[in-house]
Amino acid sequence: MNDLSRESPLAAVSPLDGRYAGKTADLVPYASEAALIEARLRVEVEYLLALSDADGVDCEVGPAERTHLREVVDEFDADDAALVKQIETEGTEEFSATRHDVKAVEYFLRTETPERLHPWIHFGLTSEDVNNLANRLNAKGAVEDMLLPEISAIRDALTEMAQDSRGVPMLARTHGQPATPTTFGKEMAVFAARLGRAEARVRAAADDLSGKLAGASGTYAAHVAAYPDVDWRAFSEDFVHSLGLEHTPLATQINPSDDLAALFDALAGVNNILLDLDRDIWRYVSDRYLGQESESTETGSSTMPHKVNPIDFENSEGNLSKANSDLTFLREYVTSSRLQRDLSDSTVKRNVGAAFAHCLIGYRKTTAGLGKVVPNEQVMREELENTPEIIGEAVQTILRREGDTAAYERVKELTRGQRVTLADFRDLFDDLDVDESVREELRALTPAGYTGVADELVNELD
């Protein structure tokens, strides 16, 4: 194995960059090292331009220079990212190795600007001023551009299934035992509604991501020392807003990451709902309530040729479980920092992309699985017909309405722990001291017809 190229996916230590590389490639512009370098560069460039626009600051960026700087960001490519990394780790003819990732970006930007602007690059900033903004720009982009559309796609698929199967009766199970019937569509509507609310929480958390730009201890000390008459707090707020982020006015050297924690928590909430869905669909497939459309070239088992496994839902379950483990760790870790700053969160935050990648794989696998399952109405109806005891609830409730104080006990004696038939119920009805109209009402009860307003509840999604 020593001759295996490190560029080969087979050499990847993580399956995210190996087996699943094709499924996580869409996150590269948001979650890779190159993406972080590019985001840092964007922050540095926009900050330099903002200094030029600030009243009372002597930085002047001309129109042509402004255009060029924006082009440097817009046209940033893999070669540029490699050069920044080289400046950091090896150095170049012009720069010694910085051994500092943000400083490397600063020096790279010097290669694209005239010398008179060099003092203004990274002016008064600490690295965390750049990093907290870059990380949030990438997180916001990943969530809004990649994860939320996938969540919406699942919700749309569930809504369509709910509408199509709103009237398909199905045996419910509570505590794993036969219970009052529902419809398959109504059950899918429950998941769609839950997912819609969770999606809104993720969207709100992404909108609330908040940036800090206030110097080494969050006091604007260097800025004020250089230009005491400039309103640096207002400058910071305007600058952070210009990047599309909310503003954090009170911070230490780091931006308190409560906003990121809220985002991670919201995503974990989505994942919990989808884990619940994955497991329910798996059970419905196992019970043959759902059939699966198979691909002719797909192998379900290495030894059992007949098998069509619910692998998409199983894969989703595994990835979303891993994502939630990571998101929980991130949520709990990123909100703490010793005194005004320690560096332990830096390496931790580099794993945000991995958590997002497991989310992305899970979402797409759930969507793929939903596209293959088909409700088997015949199987659902047959099981309802074979479980007539479930109308017992309706029977005892109607008898209670008629004033029968022993209604529950009467039905319990007939049904609990025993196999009964509709004929057994009709024998019970014949012995009841009730009006004939009530007797006919009871005789009309069927398991498949005992679904209440389940089909109408699907309209709650509108």
Side-chain angles (χ1 to χ4, degrees):
M1 296 295 289
N2 292 334
D3 61 346
L4 190 62
S5 169
R6 291 189 178 184
E7 284 72 36
S8 169
L10 295 176
V13 175
S14 166
L16 295 176
D17 297 317
R19 182 178 182 86
Y20 300 133
K23 295 178 173 62
T24 61
D26 289 338
L27 280 173
V28 169
Y30 310 95
S32 63
E33 182 77 5
L36 178 56
I37 294 171
E38 182 178 359
R40 286 168 172 156
L41 179 66
R42 177 185 171 191
V43 171
E44 294 280 13
V45 165
E46 293 301 328
Y47 176 69
L48 180 60
L49 299 180
L51 285 177
S52 177
D53 294 336
D55 293 336
V57 179
D58 298 324
C59 176
E60 294 184 10
V61 180
E65 294 166 333
R66 182 179 293 264
T67 298
H68 173 68
L69 285 169
R70 289 264 168 74
E71 289 175 348
V72 169
V73 177
D74 293 341
E75 298 173 7
F76 189 81
D77 58 19
D79 290 338
D80 294 326
L83 177 56
V84 174
K85 197 65 180 176
Q86 181 182 348
I87 294 172
E88 177 193 349
T89 59
E90 304 172 19
T92 63
E93 290 185 4
E94 187 175 358
F95 305 109
S96 299
T98 63
R99 299 289 187 266
H100 193 288
D101 46 10
V102 176
K103 202 67 176 177
V105 173
E106 177 186 345
Y107 286 177
F108 170 82
L109 192 51
R110 288 188 180 187
T111 68
E112 298 290 345
T113 54
E115 188 172 352
R116 66 179 178 79
L117 290 179
H118 292 181
W120 301 104
I121 300 172
H122 202 72
F123 177 80
L125 300 183
T126 184
S127 297
E128 188 58 19
D129 287 327
V130 177
N131 280 334
N132 91 96
L133 295 170
N135 281 325
R136 281 162 175 78
L137 289 175
N138 281 344
K140 186 179 181 70
V143 170
E144 293 182 343
D145 297 345
M146 299 308 308
L147 300 188
L148 279 170
E150 297 292 340
I151 296 169
S152 295
I154 298 172
R155 178 174 48 79
D156 290 344
L158 290 170
T159 298
E160 183 177 356
M161 291 178 73
Q163 296 288 0
D164 292 345
S165 301
R166 62 192 302 155
V168 177
M170 181 185 79
L171 181 67
R173 292 185 182 275
T174 58
H175 308 281
Q177 304 303 306
T180 301
T182 180
T183 69
F184 182 74
K186 178 261 183 181
E187 298 309 306
M188 294 303 99
V190 170
F191 280 112
R194 293 176 64 194
L195 192 57
R197 292 190 293 271
E199 177 187 352
R201 289 193 292 271
V202 173
R203 204 173 294 278
D207 287 342
D208 286 341
L209 287 178
S210 180
K212 166 261 180 184
L213 186 131
S217 294
T219 65
Y220 303 91
H223 292 85
V224 172
Y227 289 99
D229 295 329
V230 173
D231 187 346
W232 289 108
R233 285 182 291 176
F235 172 91
S236 175
E237 183 174 4
D238 289 343
F239 175 67
V240 172
H241 284 164
S242 75
L243 297 176
L245 300 171
E246 295 299 308
H247 180 244
T248 302
L250 282 170
T252 59
Q253 183 175 110
I254 69 166
N255 180 359
S257 293
D258 304 294
D259 58 333
L260 286 174
L263 177 61
F264 301 151
D265 188 63
L267 284 169
V270 166
N271 295 349
N272 282 333
I273 293 167
L274 294 181
L275 284 166
D276 199 18
L277 173 68
D278 288 336
R279 290 161 182 159
D280 277 11
I281 295 292
W282 187 96
R283 175 61 189 268
Y284 291 145
V285 171
S286 177
D287 289 343
R288 298 194 304 120
Y289 283 13
L290 294 175
Q292 296 183 97
E293 296 176 350
S294 61
E295 298 180 11
S296 59
T297 58
E298 185 177 273
T299 300
S301 168
S302 63
T303 186
M304 294 174 281
H306 69 281
K307 294 190 72 178
V308 181
N309 296 328
I311 55 175
D312 290 314
F313 298 105
E314 292 170 338
N315 188 287
S316 174
E317 181 180 347
N319 274 285
L320 294 181
S321 296
K322 178 63 168 69
N324 272 11
S325 175
D326 291 349
L327 290 168
T328 299
F329 167 72
L330 288 166
R331 181 192 68 202
E332 294 176 352
Y333 200 97
V334 299
T335 55
S336 298
S337 177
R338 296 176 185 88
L339 304 179
Q340 284 68 52
R341 171 67 162 140
D342 77 74
L343 198 63
S344 59
D345 70 311
S346 177
T347 188
V348 167
K349 287 175 180 173
R350 291 178 183 274
N351 291 281
V352 170
F356 287 176
H358 284 293
C359 288
L360 183 64
I361 296 170
Y363 300 161
R364 288 179 170 174
K365 284 295 184 179
T366 296
T367 299
L370 290 175
K372 296 177 183 177
V373 295
V374 180
N376 192 334
E377 185 172 354
Q378 180 180 350
V379 170
M380 295 184 194
R381 287 186 177 274
E382 286 176 354
E383 184 152 19
L384 283 170
E385 291 172 1
N386 292 330
T387 321
E389 60 268 25
I390 55 180
I391 68 168
E393 178 192 41
V395 172
Q396 65 97 9
T397 303
I398 291 172
L399 293 180
R400 282 171 179 260
R401 183 196 68 197
E402 297 301 310
D404 188 340
T405 57
Y408 179 88
E409 290 72 20
R410 197 188 309 278
V411 177
K412 176 182 175 182
E413 182 180 356
L414 174 69
T415 61
R416 190 171 190 185
Q418 302 185 53
R419 296 290 298 175
V420 296
T421 65
L422 286 179
D424 293 325
F425 273 106
R426 293 193 174 101
D427 289 342
L428 172 65
F429 302 156
D430 290 341
D431 292 337
L432 293 174
D433 184 16
V434 295
D435 290 342
E436 189 60 28
S437 60
V438 175
R439 206 182 320 276
E440 290 302 316
E441 184 180 1
L442 292 169
R443 287 172 176 163
L445 290 170
T446 64
Y450 185 45
T451 58
V453 294
D455 61 335
E456 297 175 18
L457 289 172
V458 175
N459 294 332
E460 296 293 331
L461 290 174
D462 296 338

